[in-house]
Amino acid sequence: EIVMTQSPATLSVSPGERATLSCRASQSVSSNLAWYQQKPGQAPRLLIYGASTRATGIPARFSGSGSGTEFTLTISSLQSEDFAIYYCQQYNNWPPLTFGGGTKVEIK
Amino acid sequence: EVHLLESGGGLVQPGGSLRLSCAASGFTFSSYSMTWVRQAPGKGLEWVSAISGSGGSTYYADSVKGRFTISRDNSKNTLSLQMNSLRAEDTAVYYCAKDVGSNYLYYFNYWGQGTLVTVSS
């Protein structure tokens, strides 16, 4: 099973600032990585797939990078609606599909 | 517009059973793999089970293997999860999610709103 580790667990950022979230895989997942955003009481929403491709309707301030075992989600200028929990998920080796533990982006 | 609506959650005693359903609309249901993902209270996401578009292939997390059974009825656009021998650690919101693939597992571009399963005496 591929273990996905996200860091930090919590990121405190001021509106308008850049946020950088990390996701590490226990073995290479190539570029088979997705990012999701989840707000309280809501289902997750797909942001990024293929490590760097934005899903339909996702603003350009969200960008993904990386391959192999190291991945980054960057939010270039945080908006109020971006404060949420972010999860990475690998789909290179399955079953099982595996998620990271999440990074909570909170208002500083 | 894609729509996924889960139902069937509720309170059940340890050792009991529950059947979850997910009604799908807005896409060709039989063309896509479907997945159940759960989230324990205050915790992260955990993949539970998946089924290919045809229903011919099923996959399970080790934590539920032998206790849960995933199925689908492509004539009724419905996904199901039969959960037996439930444990307290199965308490979670259960989401059904649409995969982007048909025969393989990838990532999920649509999610339902979830149904809460509580296992407690």
Side-chain angles (χ1 to χ4, degrees):
Chain A
E1 172 177 333
I2 296 179
V3 177
M4 307 301 292
T5 303
Q6 291 186 242
S7 61
T10 303
L11 187 61
S12 297
V13 185
S14 299
E17 290 188 341
R18 172 187 295 256
T20 302
L21 290 66
S22 295
C23 175
R24 174 176 295 177
S26 60
Q27 63 189 76
S28 176
V29 298
S30 187
S31 294
N32 296 315
L33 185 105
W35 289 93
Y36 301 88
Q37 176 193 66
Q38 187 180 34
K39 298 179 181 180
Q42 296 186 17
R45 176 176 72 145
L46 177 67
L47 295 177
I48 300 283
Y49 61 91
S52 61
T53 303
R54 280 188 302 278
T56 302
I58 300 304
R61 64 180 181 272
F62 290 91
S63 63
S65 63
S67 66
T69 62
E70 300 284 343
F71 300 89
T72 300
L73 175 69
T74 301
I75 311 171
S76 60
S77 177
L78 271 161
Q79 307 298 303
S80 57
E81 61 267 29
D82 300 335
F83 292 96
I85 300 176
Y86 294 83
Y87 295 94
C88 60
Q89 176 234 321
Q90 69 82 20
Y91 51 96
N92 192 68
N93 283 63
W94 48 267
L97 294 170
T98 49
F99 292 91
T103 291
K104 181 180 181 180
V105 177
E106 64 175 24
I107 300 175
K108 186 175 182 180
Chain B
E1 180 185 2
V2 172
H3 193 58
L4 300 170
L5 182 63
E6 302 95 336
S7 61
L11 175 64
V12 62
Q13 292 188 338
S17 298
L18 212 55
R19 186 176 183 88
L20 305 184
S21 295
C22 174
S25 61
F27 64 102
T28 305
F29 184 67
S30 61
S31 293
Y32 297 93
S33 297
M34 297 293 293
T35 279
W36 289 97
V37 174
R38 68 184 179 184
Q39 187 169 36
K43 302 298 184 181
L45 302 171
E46 179 188 14
W47 176 82
V48 173
S49 181
I51 187 168
S52 62
S54 67
S57 297
T58 57
Y59 310 93
Y60 298 93
D62 285 346
S63 58
V64 306
K65 199 174 295 182
R67 300 187 300 122
F68 291 11
T69 301
I70 191 171
S71 61
R72 65 191 297 160
D73 185 338
N74 286 344
S75 68
K76 296 182 179 179
N77 290 357
T78 300
L79 174 72
S80 297
L81 186 68
Q82 177 67 41
M83 304 187 296
N84 298 331
S85 303
L86 283 161
R87 306 166 179 167
E89 54 264 36
D90 295 318
T91 294
V93 173
Y94 285 73
Y95 296 101
C96 73
K98 172 189 169 294
D99 201 295
V100 299
S102 178
N103 294 316
Y104 297 102
L105 305 185
Y106 297 97
Y107 53 89
F108 318 116
N109 55 352
Y110 291 96
W111 298 64
Q113 281 306 297
T115 187
L116 177 62
V117 172
T118 303
V119 184
S120 175
S121 55

